[in-house]
Amino acid sequence: MEHLVSSWYNDRSLPESYILPPEKRPGKLTVPLANNIPVIDLEGHDQTDIIQQIFEASQEFGFFQVINHGVPSNLMDEAMSVFKEFHALSGKDKAIETSKDPNKSCFIYTSSANYATEKFHLWRDALIHRCNPLEKYIQFWPEKPPRYREVVGPYTAEVRKLGFRILEFISQGLGISLGGLVGNQTLLVNHYPPCPDPSLTLGLGKHMDPVFINILLQSDVYGLQVFKDEEWIVVEPIPNAFVVNIGFPLQIISNGKLKGAEHRVVTNSNVARTTASYFLSPSNETLIEPANTLVDASHPALYKSLPYKDFLIKYVAASTDSKALEEALSTTV
Ligand code: OGA
Ligand code: NI
């Protein structure tokens, strides 16, 4: 665990292994704050209106935020507190608290899953664990901080409900049914310590999520950016909101109607940033292919069909290069 950024960042300038090649550096960090990522009020309108707003946001940005979403704000605050407390533990404690399952349904890593082989490292630590069914997995979650299970159990149950509700809105917008295709539900708690030189490195490089949707809790610290029309735009932190984004499998299933948006995380030199992604993923056998009802003579299938487990192999092989992934899965290239 000596590699975790949070174990050593205090004493050091940016090590060379964290310096990105020039074309990948974030460079100028003041990207325009033209905030047009839609904010959708889940209580403010009738259902048809909400479905329409979610559909349009998913089509144009692949990103939106939701407010009045039903997850109690005190639960969101408590969850954020225990996530921060977890990442503030000693490296030794973090190692102990994440090694309870020999099948690795819970573990900790730094940078990316390929730390040992990657060309450069990313400025982040990550705790990841399965969430559903709760009775099966909670026994492997951290017991430090002492309230972790007590808070994160109900938190993930609430976010799960919200996730299925949003997936249902998306299903209705597309005229297909997605809820029955969900498999793994995973929580990824990211931690980005203050960074000595945010212009040279990233917390997370440009990527698309390999899931149906991600329901993200971000704190009040900026860092998340979305790539749209060849520009980076900022996802503004809004108190008590969740950020939702569409993953690449939904771009395929919707035959390109919805956008699996590319995004990244920049660091800052003042404060740590902690976030929690709740991923709703397809089950392994789910065929990732354009839905029949969305394919016809004037809308040919844009993507090949393959089971989710094979999609994941291609996703890993493309190593966050979305163009390479598109090419590997496209019917026309
Ligand atoms: C992710 C992700 C964004 C953030 O976990 O895939 O993009 O702000 N997280 O941490
Ligand atoms: Ni992501």
Side-chain angles (χ1 to χ4, degrees):
M1 283 306 107
E2 67 280 11
H3 293 311
L4 293 178
V5 181
S6 42
S7 303
W8 52 260
Y9 76 95
N10 246 336
D11 335 317
R12 306 204 19 199
S13 56
L14 191 69
E16 202 153 329
S17 57
Y18 285 78
I19 300 178
L20 296 170
E23 71 282 3
K24 298 206 167 176
R25 290 178 197 164
K28 191 167 62 76
L29 285 162
T30 46
V31 299
L33 227 182
N35 212 311
N36 31 22
I37 303 264
V39 178
I40 301 173
D41 184 341
L42 296 188
E43 265 177 16
H45 321 264
D46 62 29
Q47 297 269 92
T48 329
D49 212 26
I50 294 172
I51 292 166
Q52 180 70 15
Q53 287 189 36
I54 289 182
F55 186 79
E56 282 171 11
S58 304
Q59 197 165 32
E60 191 178 349
F61 295 87
F63 257 89
F64 53 94
Q65 304 210 45
V66 289
I67 54 171
N68 291 322
H69 42 61
V71 182
S73 61
N74 62 334
L75 193 54
M76 298 170 75
D77 294 344
E78 285 177 20
M80 183 49 80
S81 299
V82 297
F83 295 149
K84 289 179 179 167
E85 285 167 37
F86 172 83
H87 279 289
L89 295 174
S90 70
K92 186 165 166 244
D93 275 348
K94 278 182 271 198
I96 294 169
E97 295 307 313
T98 54
S99 348
K100 298 174 198 283
D101 184 5
N103 290 322
K104 292 204 130 217
S105 65
C106 175
F107 61 98
I108 188 161
Y109 62 99
T110 189
S111 183
S112 81
N114 312 315
Y115 183 89
T117 53
E118 65 197 8
K119 291 198 197 80
F120 42 78
H121 301 315
L122 296 165
W123 194 261
R124 102 161 152 163
D125 297 335
L127 159 68
I128 187 162
H129 60 67
R130 296 273 191 93
C131 296
N132 193 261
L134 187 62
E135 325 73 78
K136 178 167 174 196
Y137 293 115
I138 195 168
Q139 58 184 315
F140 303 123
W141 293 6
E143 287 166 290
K144 278 186 191 171
R147 295 179 64 231
Y148 191 90
R149 294 180 182 180
E150 184 187 321
V151 171
V152 180
Y155 171 78
T156 52
E158 286 290 332
V159 176
R160 170 176 195 272
K161 261 197 294 187
L162 173 63
F164 275 91
R165 203 172 142 215
I166 291 172
L167 208 54
E168 181 56 31
F169 288 137
I170 294 172
S171 295
Q172 294 197 19
L174 287 170
I176 60 177
S177 179
L178 296 164
L181 305 178
V182 174
N184 286 344
Q185 295 157 46
T186 311
L187 187 74
L188 171 64
V189 183
N190 297 298
H191 183 69
Y192 313 94
C195 175
D197 194 341
S199 69
L200 298 178
T201 192
L202 284 170
L204 267 177
K206 186 181 186 187
H207 70 283
M208 282 195 279
D209 293 342
V211 301
F212 278 144
I213 52 173
N214 179 17
I215 315 287
L216 178 85
L217 175 66
Q218 62 168 347
S219 62
D220 51 355
V221 183
Y222 284 88
L224 178 57
Q225 301 181 343
V226 178
F227 197 59
K228 180 173 190 288
D229 304 330
E230 303 302 308
E231 260 188 356
W232 288 102
I233 55 178
V234 164
V235 182
E236 197 173 356
I238 300 177
N240 299 326
F242 282 101
V243 178
V244 181
N245 71 277
I246 305 293
F248 195 51
L250 259 190
Q251 177 171 324
I252 297 178
I253 291 172
S254 68
N255 202 25
K257 279 194 169 179
L258 306 187
K259 189 146 116 189
E262 293 183 292
H263 52 286
R264 71 177 184 185
V265 174
V266 298
T267 63
N268 77 81
S269 51
N270 303 316
V271 278
R273 178 166 180 270
T274 304
T275 67
S277 290
Y278 190 90
F279 295 121
L280 286 179
S281 302
S283 60
N284 279 335
E285 304 307 324
T286 295
L287 281 182
I288 306 302
E289 63 183 7
N292 311 341
T293 49
L294 301 176
V295 174
D296 58 35
S298 46
H299 305 90
L302 298 176
Y303 302 98
K304 296 173 192 157
S305 165
L306 75 182
Y308 182 59
K309 58 180 191 309
D310 297 340
F311 167 89
L312 280 180
I313 294 170
K314 299 235 186 266
Y315 179 86
V316 172
S319 151
T320 76
D321 181 342
S322 304
K323 284 221 172 64
L325 184 63
E326 287 250 8
E327 280 174 21
L329 298 173
S330 165
T331 49
T332 53
V333 187

